[in-house]
Amino acid sequence: MLDLLELQQFVAFADCGTLSKAAEQLHISQPTLTRTMHHVEDAFGVPLFTRGKNRIACNETGLQAVAYARKLLEDADHAVKMVQAFDRSLHTIHVSSCAPAPLWSLLPVLTARFPDKTISSRLEDMSIIIEQVVSGNCEIGILPYAFADERLLVVPFLREQLSVCVPKSHPLAKENTLTFSQINGFNCLVRDQLGFWSNLCHEKMPASKFLVQTDNFALEELIRSSTLLCFTTNLAGWEQQEVLRDRVIIPLVDDEATAAYQLICLPKNKDLLKPYI
């Protein structure tokens, strides 16, 4: 009967070339490793080594056995990882969202309702979100538009309205509303990890350049000190409103500037969306 630990030692011996080097690497005694080589040879039932005075080496059959041993160890490692991943999936609710703001509302609700589960979230492209939910790789998806699919339960969630924030001295500050075409060409400060909003702004404002910030403190300092436009939404927290106190917040009235978020899941997972159904 082949033993995985013995196979690991067999492969280590083949890699090291000598029993002494392999024993040192494995932190075991050389006599122990010698016994292991005998056990492996007995398990395969054929000679695996050529033996000389105080030395053994893998013969041609032994090298083939090493190749199979490597494959068995890789398969065993893969099996362990897959079983561990499956067990984590039983205790994890995966959420894939097209934007960060809906997560700010949804994740606390899920955490409160399912305290024994881990809530995992990530931002994804919309097509990937649908694919992940349909395939069962995530339990809840969040899309920015109305969506119909007979395979899925679709529940309206939140609305997010995008606005542009301009310095009070800016020529656009007198406007009550704006469109993407009106701000196209103005350079903007933006956060990273904005999901579909980033793609939308690049698409609608091809003449603009975007200074993307990964550090919130740096972004806030730039908002306070620069004349570059930036963005906010009705779902932004009070902290951002404080940073924007010296700017005029002007709604964008393009249809695309309003996201009507939808929660999607497989019907078997509808209990996850119970508060919103």
Side-chain angles (χ1 to χ4, degrees), residues 8-228:
Q8 289 174 339
Q9 294 177 9
F10 178 42
V11 169
F13 163 68
D15 291 340
C16 292
T18 67
L19 290 169
S20 59
K21 289 182 180 179
E24 181 179 356
Q25 177 180 295
L26 295 167
H27 304 291
I28 60 176
S29 69
Q30 187 169 328
T32 297
L33 187 58
T34 299
R35 286 194 296 272
T36 296
M37 296 305 99
H38 284 293
H39 292 164
V40 170
E41 194 170 44
D42 289 342
F44 278 102
V46 293
L48 301 180
F49 307 103
T50 57
R51 291 174 167 84
K53 186 177 181 181
N54 299 321
R55 178 178 175 83
I56 68 170
C58 290
N59 60 23
E60 188 175 355
T61 303
L63 292 175
Q64 186 64 43
V66 169
Y68 285 120
R70 289 188 200 279
K71 182 65 169 58
L72 286 170
L73 291 171
E74 290 172 2
D75 289 346
D77 183 62
H78 178 69
V80 169
K81 290 178 179 176
M82 293 300 292
V83 170
Q84 291 174 341
F86 177 77
D87 183 69
R88 284 195 300 272
S89 73
L90 297 178
H91 303 90
T92 303
I93 299 172
H94 298 93
V95 182
S96 291
S97 179
C98 62
L103 296 173
W104 305 339
S105 297
L106 180 63
L107 298 188
V109 173
L110 291 174
T111 299
R113 291 187 63 222
F114 304 98
D116 59 330
K117 291 184 178 289
T118 299
I119 312 300
S120 172
S121 65
R122 56 183 177 263
L123 297 181
E124 297 282 11
D125 291 337
M126 290 178 281
S127 59
I128 293 177
I129 292 172
I130 297 169
E131 177 184 325
Q132 288 178 335
V133 174
V134 170
S135 66
N137 289 326
C138 82
E139 284 68 45
I140 300 174
I142 305 176
L143 300 177
Y145 51 72
F147 176 78
D149 189 315
E150 63 182 11
R151 299 169 297 178
L152 300 172
L153 176 65
V154 182
V155 179
F157 184 37
L158 296 172
R159 294 181 71 84
E160 185 173 27
Q161 171 69 50
L162 187 66
S163 297
V164 63
C165 310
V166 303
K168 293 179 180 179
S169 59
H170 197 281
L172 294 175
K174 65 181 185 298
E175 303 291 339
N176 293 321
T177 61
L178 287 168
T179 64
F180 281 116
S181 62
Q182 287 176 284
I183 62 174
N184 183 29
F186 288 99
N187 298 332
C188 302
L189 293 167
V190 294
R191 299 176 188 269
D192 69 333
Q193 299 295 311
L194 290 178
F196 85 100
W197 286 122
S198 294
N199 294 334
L200 178 66
C201 288
H202 281 87
E203 177 186 336
K204 294 295 183 179
M205 301 169 61
S208 298
K209 293 182 179 179
F210 299 90
L211 183 58
V212 180
Q213 297 296 302
T214 59
D215 181 79
N216 284 339
F217 177 79
L219 175 63
E220 291 171 1
E221 288 301 301
L222 286 170
I223 289 174
R224 292 188 180 98
S225 61
S226 80
T227 59
L228 297 176

